[in-house]
């Protein structure tokens, strides 16, 4: 059973060093719900402030049922654009600067080095090569710390995700 496998993967983690990275999307919603049921009710939403208002409202609504911390960059997207340049095909800095770097900084501050994601292998060729617990070389740029990306629904299909949402009557964005 996929849910049991995902729950067991989550339960095998040290909860004091683990957090769900909630994006506001359906996949991370499922991970957050399974994690809560497994005993890990600690999530982080990296709020780049670029999301649609309806998406930010959804995240606020989800805080009624889940422990979600907003993490906001000190320098916003538009200031980065002024300092660097707008993101482009050649210079794809946006996600790395506004999401990944912020999640690493938050992990160092809180000790949450196991970051659970809603990544699924069927989303792309690159993601099909991921493992359930991934030590991504980019994540490990700071050699003093060891970061782990935990992908408990890696082998789920999109249909599996929607089935879980329907069966558990989850409110999705």
């Amino acid at each position: 059973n996929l849910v049991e496998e995902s729950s067991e993967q989550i339960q095998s983690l040290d909860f004091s060093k683990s957090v769900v990275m909630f994006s506001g999307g359906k996949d991370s919603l499922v991970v957050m719900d399974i994690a809560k049921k497994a005993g890990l009710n600690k999530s982080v939403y990296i709020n780049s402030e670029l999301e649609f208002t309806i998406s930010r409202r959804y995240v606020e609504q989800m805080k009624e049922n889940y422990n979600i911390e907003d993490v906001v960059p000190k320098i916003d997207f538009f200031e980065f654009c002024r300092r660097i340049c707008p993101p482009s095909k050649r210079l794809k800095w946006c996600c790395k600067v506004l999401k990944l770097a912020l999640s690493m900084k938050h992990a160092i501050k809180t000790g949450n080095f196991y970051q659970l994601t809603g990544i699924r292998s069927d989303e792309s060729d690159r993601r099909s090569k991921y493992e359930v617990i991934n030590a991504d070389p980019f994540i490990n740029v700071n050699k003093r710390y060891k970061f782990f990306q935990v992908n408990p629904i890696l082998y789920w299909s999109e249909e599996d995700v929607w089935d879980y949402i329907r069966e558990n009557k989850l409110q999705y964005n």
Side-chain angles (χ1 to χ4, degrees):
N1 177 316
L2 288 173
V3 176
E4 288 173 11
E5 287 174 22
S6 298
S7 183
E8 287 170 10
Q9 290 161 351
I10 294 167
Q11 288 171 336
S12 72
L13 302 172
D14 178 347
F15 286 3
S16 70
K17 296 178 182 175
S18 304
V19 68
V20 175
M21 302 305 294
F22 179 57
S23 67
K26 68 185 181 335
D27 300 323
S28 63
L29 167 65
V30 167
V31 171
M32 187 169 64
D33 192 68
I34 293 170
K36 181 180 177 184
K37 290 174 181 171
L40 175 63
N41 187 18
K42 183 170 54 170
S43 302
V44 168
Y45 171 67
I46 305 291
N47 185 352
S48 66
E49 299 184 322
L50 292 174
E51 290 78 10
F52 291 109
T53 303
I54 193 166
S55 294
R56 288 197 306 268
R57 280 192 203 125
Y58 167 74
V59 172
E60 285 303 312
Q61 284 179 301
M62 297 312 291
K63 289 179 181 180
E64 294 174 16
N65 298 311
Y66 303 93
N67 178 21
I68 304 170
E69 177 185 357
D70 265 3
V71 175
V72 181
K74 288 186 179 168
I75 301 170
D76 72 13
F77 171 80
F78 300 103
E79 182 58 28
F80 272 115
C81 287
R82 282 189 282 281
R83 291 182 185 188
I84 302 171
C85 70
S88 66
K89 232 180 174 176
R90 285 188 39 221
L91 191 57
K92 300 176 185 178
W93 59 262
C94 185
C95 213
K96 288 178 178 139
V97 169
L98 292 177
K99 300 273 186 183
L100 188 58
L102 205 52
S103 73
M104 289 171 60
K105 186 175 181 179
H106 186 269
I108 292 167
K109 182 178 122 188
T110 62
N112 292 320
F113 296 107
Y114 290 86
Q115 299 183 339
L116 287 75
T117 76
I119 287 175
R120 292 181 298 103
S121 64
D122 69 356
E123 292 177 300
S124 70
D125 275 346
R126 187 169 149 238
R127 290 179 175 191
S128 71
K129 294 169 182 62
Y130 282 25
E131 297 176 26
V132 173
I133 297 183
N134 206 36
D136 188 326
F138 186 82
I139 294 174
N140 289 312
V141 292
N142 188 330
K143 298 297 178 200
R144 290 184 295 171
Y145 306 99
K146 193 144 176 113
F147 299 90
F148 298 93
Q149 182 184 67
V150 182
N151 308 306
I153 65 167
L154 185 65
Y155 301 114
W156 289 39
S157 67
E158 185 170 1
E159 186 178 338
D160 295 328
V161 169
W162 284 115
D163 286 347
Y164 182 90
I165 289 170
R166 281 189 294 272
E167 287 167 17
N168 291 276
K169 298 177 176 54
L170 299 182
Q171 180 184 359
Y172 55 90
N173 187 356

